[in-house]
Amino acid sequence: MSIPVYAQQSYPDSLKQVLKNVTNDSARFDILVKLATYYQEDKIDSALYYYNKSLSIANENNLLLDVASSLDNKGYVLMHMGKLPQSLQCFLEAVNIAEDTNNENKTFYKKKKEKARLFRLYILSNIHHDWGHLMRRINVDEGIFHYKQTEKIAREINDTIMLAFVNMNMGHVYLEKGKYDTALVMEQTAEKIFSQSVDKRYLGLVYQLLGQIYIYKNEQTKALAYFHKAIDISLKENNLNSLNNAFYLLSDYYLKEKSRDSSVYYARKGMEGYRAMGSEDLSKGYTLMFKSYQLFNKPDSVLKYQELALVATDSAYQKKVKNLTELQKSSFTEQQRLQELEKEKVQAQYRMRNYGMLGILIIFTVVGILLYRNNLQKQKAKQKIEQAYADLKSTQAQLIQSEKMASLGELTAGIAHEIQNPLNFVNNFSELSKELLDEMKTELDNGNEEEAREIANDVIQNLEKINHHGKRADAIVKGMLQHSRSSNSSKEPTDINKLADEYLRLAYHGLRAKDKSFNATLNTDFDESIGNINIVPQDIGRVILNLITNAFYSTNEKQTIRKAQGEKYDPTVSVSTKKVGNKVEIMVADNGNGIPQKVIDKIFQPFFTTKPTGQGTGLGLSLAYDIVKAHGGELRVQTKEGEGSEFIIQLPIV
């Protein structure tokens, strides 16, 4: 969005002083927005605080256009804080308000009719622009769509600054797609507009993108000049995020030129800047540092920054996967909501048509000669209903496919994360071993056998680590294959008592391995008259393990709360079996927190979970339900909030 520039150091302090003395809501709203705008590129928590304040005032005065503007600004800040689902929700609410022409005068900034329309469109273009940033993270084409919407509105209202922003961001997209000539034209357009504007806060980012384009076009001199221009303007405009990124780009440039001193210098400058901002964007800096120290041939420094880079990259990757998964779920939920609204709209239309048909039928009954036309009308209505039913079935199939794809995306992200860590170690120790062997050859040529032996020992240790992490990757792959081998397995006679007892111990010791402080009482009551029943043991074992793991989670959660309150509590999980006629019942009970009645009907739905974000996918009970149904059985729950739950698996004895 268009951001005013405030060069004076005392500007925010003077605004805060004025804010203390004003009582008029219009003036308070304007000052809060200016304060939030000032902070949003370096002190993002402060920006969110002031945008929330402005949103509250707009809501209190029922000025919906100002509500939309504040929601857009809040969504932009939440996006940069990594809170992607919350950001999406802000944009969805904001766009619904800004698209409504009835809200044009619902603002503190009173304007004449035509200018009120332009102001509403200006806010709408800002929303689409910020929305485009968000959607680029999961679907580039979605991002481009919103940028195009922004460009269309900006041209209509002749907003040249917004056109500069659109060209800057579209140029970035085409740079990532490898379309360098198109990207260059767009960034040059953005450069021209920003250079002639009072607002030059983002000119440094344009210079960075131009430098990157010239790198790919092998015009290194121009690239270097633009990187330095980016640093100069970012310093002048106090855009710290842009400044630190420019340092990273210069470090990368000098790294490729094998200028190790300059590479280390700029990498360190960027890292210091991001630390001062409280940003977590340090993984790239660590990577640049260890690659630079490779040029110095300093293994200790290389290993130090390699380890820091691995930890930072892994942490950033986990956050990215979590946030994108949540954003995909939020986006999918919104699509479902829109489809439900569309279905309700169609049903309302059908009801109106049916009422009309009823009226026509009465008239045609009175006027008997029109009965034939009435029959034709019925036939047409029948065709429309059949078509609507076919469309409904098609929509249902699309929803099922969307759920499958969301599940597949989450599973793929998890597999990639699990397998990437051992592969990183294998690659890093392989590169290090090659460097050590080169050193050993040099020492042997110089007659330093003792040094060569020490290096050989280091190489042996590295190869042992490579072997260890290779076996670790192999174990992960085998574990995933074992996990997936279920639906095609055949039934076999199985001792259900032994299976339930085995998975109870497995789940308990697994939890104890993660948390030594956790203890629970385990109760079992197995009906020995059951004998063997025909089941797929891997599948039913997975169901039992999931239910027992959930029971331990619930008791552990309750124990944590009771301990904090100084109350006594004995976590207890019970597993029992019994024969009921020609069926077997397996019961898993706990004395945990229980399940709230308001969500009891949703627990077997895919992606529904009561666990905090990141601690559950919402697929466990859904898969368990499907497995039990595939065995011709039934899975049900009895629960009382605050006292515990009992899940009952009922299987036929075949």
Side-chain angles (χ1 to χ4, degrees):
M1 59 184 297
S2 303
I3 308 296
V5 179
Y6 309 114
Q8 297 178 0
Q9 186 70 23
S10 60
Y11 180 81
D13 294 330
S14 62
L15 280 179
K16 291 174 187 176
Q17 190 60 43
V18 173
L19 185 63
K20 290 180 181 178
N21 299 321
V22 296
T23 56
N24 180 277
D25 278 351
S26 176
R28 288 176 63 225
F29 179 85
D30 187 57
I31 294 169
L32 288 167
V33 170
K34 287 177 179 177
L35 278 167
T37 301
Y38 180 86
Y39 285 122
Q40 76 180 21
E41 294 302 331
D42 50 7
K43 294 182 180 178
I44 202 160
D45 290 335
S46 298
L48 180 61
Y49 171 80
Y50 288 116
Y51 279 139
N52 275 327
K53 288 281 189 182
S54 70
L55 178 60
S56 177
I57 291 175
N59 272 315
E60 288 170 4
N61 288 271
N62 197 32
L63 297 174
L64 294 182
L65 200 57
D66 292 334
V67 170
S69 178
S70 295
L71 282 169
D72 171 41
N73 291 325
K74 181 179 177 180
Y76 177 84
V77 171
L78 287 170
M79 173 180 63
H80 285 287
M81 294 176 79
K83 298 179 179 180
L84 307 187
Q86 297 93 320
S87 173
L88 175 61
Q89 190 58 43
C90 286
F91 295 143
L92 288 169
E93 291 180 29
V95 81
N96 285 334
I97 296 171
E99 285 178 342
D100 190 345
T101 56
N102 294 321
N103 294 327
E104 284 181 354
N105 284 312
K106 295 179 180 179
T107 171
F108 283 117
Y109 309 108
K110 301 300 180 184
K111 301 176 184 292
K112 292 183 179 179
K113 185 174 181 180
E114 180 55 28
K115 288 192 176 181
R117 174 180 170 274
L118 295 178
F119 184 58
R120 179 182 63 81
L121 290 176
Y122 164 77
I123 291 174
L124 185 59
S125 71
N126 274 275
I127 297 168
H128 277 294
H129 183 242
D130 295 337
W131 198 351
H133 298 337
L134 179 69
M135 297 314 295
R136 271 176 61 186
R137 300 175 184 229
I138 58 172
N139 188 321
V140 173
D141 292 334
E142 279 286 320
I144 291 175
F145 167 79
H146 287 290
Y147 288 150
K148 291 287 188 184
Q149 291 293 104
T150 305
E151 182 180 29
K152 178 183 175 182
I153 298 171
R155 291 192 185 282
E156 181 181 349
I157 64 177
N158 196 28
D159 186 349
T160 55
I161 292 296
M162 182 53 75
L163 287 173
F165 276 105
V166 170
N167 275 276
M168 177 182 75
N169 289 299
M170 288 286 285
H172 195 177
V173 171
Y174 286 114
L175 169 61
E176 292 172 344
K177 285 177 169 283
K179 297 181 179 180
Y180 305 125
D181 291 333
T182 305
L184 181 60
V185 171
M186 289 187 163
E187 294 304 334
Q188 286 174 336
T189 302
E191 179 190 17
K192 181 178 179 182
I193 297 174
F194 277 135
S195 297
Q196 296 172 354
S197 167
V198 175
D199 180 3
K200 294 182 175 63
R201 199 172 188 195
Y202 292 89
L203 186 56
L205 181 54
V206 176
Y207 287 153
Q208 291 174 37
L209 292 168
L210 283 167
Q212 290 177 271
I213 293 169
Y214 282 120
I215 286 285
Y216 286 113
K217 292 172 73 71
N218 287 322
E219 298 185 43
Q220 314 299 331
T221 304
K222 287 185 178 180
L224 187 60
Y226 272 114
F227 289 152
H228 281 291
K229 287 174 73 173
I231 288 175
D232 292 341
I233 193 68
S234 297
L235 274 169
K236 182 179 178 182
E237 299 299 324
N238 196 35
N239 190 331
L240 303 184
N241 193 51
S242 175
L243 174 65
N244 297 324
N245 194 56
F247 285 142
Y248 277 174
L249 288 170
L250 269 173
S251 175
D252 190 51
Y253 171 84
Y254 284 117
L255 180 64
K256 290 172 182 173
E257 295 293 316
K258 298 192 183 303
S259 178
R260 58 193 189 185
D261 291 328
S262 296
S263 179
V264 168
Y265 173 77
Y266 285 110
R268 200 181 299 279
K269 291 274 287 184
M271 289 165 61
E272 289 171 354
Y274 277 123
R275 280 201 190 95
M277 288 175 61
S279 170
E280 296 179 357
D281 192 9
L282 297 173
S283 59
K284 186 176 180 181
Y286 291 140
T287 302
L288 289 166
M289 289 292 284
F290 92 72
K291 288 184 178 180
S292 300
Y293 276 116
Q294 283 179 329
L295 298 176
F296 282 97
N297 196 22
K298 292 184 176 181
D300 291 342
S301 297
V302 169
L303 278 174
K304 171 187 172 183
Y305 284 105
Q306 266 184 327
E307 290 176 1
L308 289 171
L310 279 172
V311 172
T313 302
D314 182 61
S315 175
Y317 178 80
Q318 288 186 30
K319 283 187 178 179
K320 183 178 179 181
V321 167
K322 174 184 170 185
N323 288 325
L324 289 180
T325 301
E326 292 176 353
L327 178 59
Q328 286 175 326
K329 287 182 182 178
S330 298
S331 180
F332 176 68
T333 301
E334 178 61 17
Q335 290 173 15
Q336 284 184 309
R337 188 183 69 81
L338 293 174
Q339 288 172 342
E340 286 295 326
L341 289 174
E342 186 64 26
K343 187 167 70 173
E344 291 174 5
K345 181 180 177 183
V346 170
Q347 289 173 344
Q349 290 174 345
Y350 286 156
R351 285 196 295 271
M352 293 301 295
R353 288 177 185 176
N354 288 334
Y355 293 148
M357 286 170 57
L358 181 61
I360 292 170
L361 181 60
I362 295 171
I363 295 172
F364 282 2
T365 303
V366 175
V367 188
I369 60 174
L370 299 178
L371 287 174
Y372 178 70
R373 288 180 58 191
N374 179 55
N375 184 57
L376 289 179
Q377 189 71 18
K378 284 183 178 180
Q379 291 297 322
K380 290 179 181 179
K382 181 181 177 183
Q383 291 175 0
K384 290 179 180 179
I385 291 171
E386 288 175 347
Q387 181 62 44
Y389 178 70
D391 292 342
L392 185 61
K393 288 182 69 176
S394 174
T395 301
Q396 183 183 34
Q398 291 174 11
L399 282 171
I400 292 170
Q401 182 63 22
S402 296
E403 288 182 0
K404 288 180 180 178
M405 292 306 294
S407 176
L408 179 60
E410 186 171 343
L411 179 61
T412 303
I415 292 171
H417 171 64
E418 285 296 322
I419 214 76
Q420 189 61 49
N421 282 338
L423 287 180
N424 282 342
F425 280 107
V426 169
N427 291 336
N428 291 334
F429 283 116
S430 296
E431 290 178 10
L432 187 58
S433 296
K434 181 179 178 299
E435 294 175 6
L436 289 171
L437 288 172
D438 289 337
E439 290 183 27
M440 187 170 72
K441 285 171 64 179
T442 303
E443 296 297 340
L444 287 172
D445 290 341
N446 294 335
N448 297 330
E449 292 186 8
E450 189 61 32
E451 291 289 336
R453 285 194 185 90
E454 290 182 6
I455 294 172
N457 289 333
D458 291 340
V459 173
I460 290 170
Q461 291 178 3
N462 286 350
L463 292 175
E464 288 173 350
K465 291 174 181 176
I466 290 171
N467 184 45
H468 168 74
H469 289 289
K471 288 180 178 178
R472 180 183 165 200
D474 180 62
I476 291 169
V477 171
K478 286 180 178 176
M480 289 186 296
L481 291 174
Q482 179 67 25
H483 184 71
S484 66
R485 192 189 66 199
S486 61
S487 59
N488 294 327
S489 300
S490 58
K491 293 182 179 180
E492 59 186 68
T494 304
D495 186 339
I496 194 67
N497 294 338
K498 183 178 178 181
L499 187 72
D501 187 63
E502 176 185 338
Y503 279 102
L504 174 62
R505 310 300 166 187
L506 177 65
Y508 182 61
H509 292 303
L511 182 58
R512 286 273 298 156
K514 294 179 183 176
D515 184 2
K516 298 291 186 185
S517 64
F518 178 74
N519 288 290
T521 299
L522 309 182
N523 293 330
T524 58
D525 183 12
F526 299 135
D527 186 347
E528 299 298 335
S529 67
I530 295 173
N532 292 342
I533 62 173
N534 278 330
I535 58 171
V536 181
Q538 297 97 325
D539 286 2
I540 296 300
R542 184 184 302 177
V543 174
I544 295 171
L545 181 61
N546 179 268
L547 297 181
I548 293 172
T549 302
N550 285 349
F552 280 134
Y553 177 88
S554 179
T555 55
N556 192 19
E557 185 180 44
K558 187 171 181 178
Q559 184 182 47
T560 302
I561 296 170
R562 290 290 183 88
K563 190 180 291 185
Q565 295 172 346
E567 299 177 5
K568 289 186 177 181
Y569 168 66
D570 180 20
T572 303
V573 173
S574 303
V575 179
S576 61
T577 61
K578 69 177 179 179
K579 188 175 180 181
V580 183
N582 62 344
K583 296 180 180 179
V584 169
E585 289 187 350
I586 306 117
M587 286 150 283
V588 178
D590 65 75
N591 63 341
N593 285 321
I595 303 170
Q597 286 299 318
K598 63 182 179 181
V599 301
I600 197 71
D601 294 331
K602 302 178 183 178
I603 61 172
F604 296 118
Q605 294 178 8
F607 299 113
F608 179 81
T609 179
T610 58
K611 295 178 182 177
T613 302
Q615 294 189 28
T617 63
L619 292 172
L621 285 176
S622 172
L623 290 172
Y625 185 84
D626 291 343
I627 290 170
V628 174
K629 281 290 183 183
H631 278 71
E634 182 184 356
L635 176 60
R636 63 182 188 272
V637 62
Q638 297 175 355
T639 184
K640 190 168 184 181
E641 192 170 356
E643 294 185 12
S645 303
E646 181 180 64
F647 282 84
I648 302 164
I649 307 165
Q650 192 174 74
L651 299 173
I653 299 175
V654 182

